[in-house]
């Protein structure tokens, strides 16, 4: 049997604030935790019916419960009133989009894109709204990236997300880990940088020892049939710059061009003389290091 709403107020009067709607909202959550779903729903519907500042919270809590019960259509029906375009700068709208994202990322991306298109110059000039707009733009960029959709110029103005940044960094590492000559230029890791980079397993980045990596570079250089190749080692500052350039890439497919088009790095002489220090930075003579199997001239 449903408990009268008045009883909820009396029950919580000694423990909760006297704001009637706040008391009811807390009571609904307590009922939900205790397994009394019917009473929680009664309270949410009461708050929605009365409107006001707590109506959105009631709708959102009710929608969250419906999603948990796999009643998605009813949940979206509760969110419809919160997701009106004119409400894009409210906290409730942002929370509703976050809830939608958990169940339908494509719909969340559509809502964010539509919302950004509705923003006016006047909105951007209001500090409180500008802050929400930045958050909205960052969300839109993150959702587009996670969906594998090419970023737009507008997306690049927003703050880069952690996942996007990490994936781009890992892709850059993988490219440099597989040395390739492009337009007579080859980039490779400087030894100190290679040994200092965190290379966690399960990321697609080979966990190679430096000796194995530099022998691979040596083989690529030898395969050029004596053609002039600029071998440039990437040091810490170069890596930082490449990461910055990658942050503004619209897709991971653009990253190989960023690496091949990078014209910086410390150029090393290759091949060095057999009795000279090896180009890889090991401190050993070339003939006893990467050039061990190279026949003398």
């Amino acid at each position: 049997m449903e408990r009268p709403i008045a009883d909820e107020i009396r029950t919580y009067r000694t423990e909760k604030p006297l704001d009637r709607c706040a008391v009811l909202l807390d009571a609904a959550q307590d009922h939900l935790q205790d397994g009394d779903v019917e009473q929680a729903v009664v309270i949410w519907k009461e708050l929605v019916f009365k409107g006001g500042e707590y109506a959105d919270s009631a709708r959102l809590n009710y929608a969250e419960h419906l999603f948990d019960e796999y009643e998605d259509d009813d949940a979206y029906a509760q969110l419809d009133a919160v997701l009106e375009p004119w409400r894009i700068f409210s906290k409730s709208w942002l929370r509703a989009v976050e809830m939608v994202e958990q169940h339908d990322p494509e719909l969340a991306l559509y809502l964010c894109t539509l919302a950004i298109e509705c923003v006016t110059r006047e909105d951007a000039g209001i500090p409180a709204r500008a802050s929400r707009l930045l958050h909205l733009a960052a969300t839109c960029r993150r959702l587009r990236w996670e969906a594998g959709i090419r970023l737009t110029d507008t997306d690049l103005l927003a703050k880069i997300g952690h996942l996007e940044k990490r994936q781009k960094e890992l892709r850059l590492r993988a490219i440099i880990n597989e040395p390739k000559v492009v337009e007579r230029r080859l980039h490779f890791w400087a030894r100190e940088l290679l040994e200092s980079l965190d290379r966690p397993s399960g990321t697609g980045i080979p966990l190679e020892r430096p000796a194995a990596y530099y022998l691979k570079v040596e083989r690529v250089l030898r395969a050029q049939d004596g053609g002039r190749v600029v071998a440039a080692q990437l040091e810490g500052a170069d890596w930082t710059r490449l990461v910055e350039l990658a942050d503004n890439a619209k897709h991971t497919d653009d990253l190989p061009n960023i690496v091949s088009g990078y014209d910086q790095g410390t150029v090393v002489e290759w091949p060095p003389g057999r009795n000279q220090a090896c180009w890889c930075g090991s401190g050993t003579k070339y003939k006893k290091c990467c050039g061990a199997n190279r026949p003398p001239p």
Side-chain angles (χ1 to χ4, degrees), residues 182-227:
V182 179
E183 296 183 358
R184 315 308 300 172
R185 191 177 186 90
L186 179 146
H187 293 98
F188 66 93
W189 298 113
R191 182 174 289 269
E192 289 185 1
L193 180 58
L194 177 64
E195 294 175 344
S196 66
L197 283 175
D198 170 33
R199 291 177 289 163
S201 59
T203 60
I205 298 177
L207 298 176
E208 295 178 311
R209 294 181 179 276
Y213 172 72
Y214 292 117
L215 284 176
K216 183 163 58 177
V217 177
E218 174 78 15
R219 286 194 295 269
V220 173
L221 290 171
R222 291 186 192 182
Q224 301 308 303
D225 297 326

Side-chain angles (χ1 to χ4, degrees), residues 100-161:
V100 170
E101 180 188 347
Q102 296 175 13
H103 303 275
D104 191 343
E106 291 185 2
L107 176 57
L109 175 58
Y110 170 76
L111 291 171
C112 290
T113 303
L114 185 64
I116 289 177
E117 292 176 353
C118 294
V119 173
T120 65
R121 288 181 177 272
E122 289 74 15
D123 291 327
I126 301 174
R129 292 191 172 186
S131 176
R132 296 280 173 82
L133 179 58
L134 290 174
H135 177 76
L136 180 60
T139 300
C140 196
R141 173 174 181 165
R142 175 175 55 79
L143 289 172
R144 188 171 279 113
W145 177 265
E146 292 175 359
I149 301 173
R150 192 172 188 81
L151 301 181
T152 66
D153 291 338
T154 302
D155 290 329
L156 296 181
L157 298 176
K159 183 179 180 181
I160 186 172

Side-chain angles (χ1 to χ4, degrees), residues 47 103 172 206 273:
L47 290 171
H103 303 275
L172 274 180

Side-chain angles (χ1 to χ4, degrees), residues 238-287:
D238 299 303
W239 174 242
T240 299
R241 179 55 181 157
L242 282 171
V243 170
E244 291 174 351
L245 293 172
D247 285 350
N248 290 318
K250 295 180 178 179
H251 199 276
T252 51
D253 291 345
D254 299 338
L255 298 183
N257 293 332
I258 288 177
V259 176
S260 63
Y262 187 71
D263 59 0
Q264 304 298 313
T266 304
V267 177
V268 300
E269 180 185 352
W270 186 91
R274 287 175 55 78
N275 290 313
Q276 292 180 335
C278 187
W279 58 269
C280 73
S282 64
T284 306
K285 289 183 178 181
Y286 179 59
K287 67 181 181 181

Side-chain angles (χ1 to χ4, degrees), residues 27-42:
Q29 290 303 109
D30 289 344
H31 284 305
L32 189 64
Q33 292 176 4
D34 293 339
D36 189 358
V37 177
E38 291 185 4
Q39 186 64 16
V41 171
V42 168

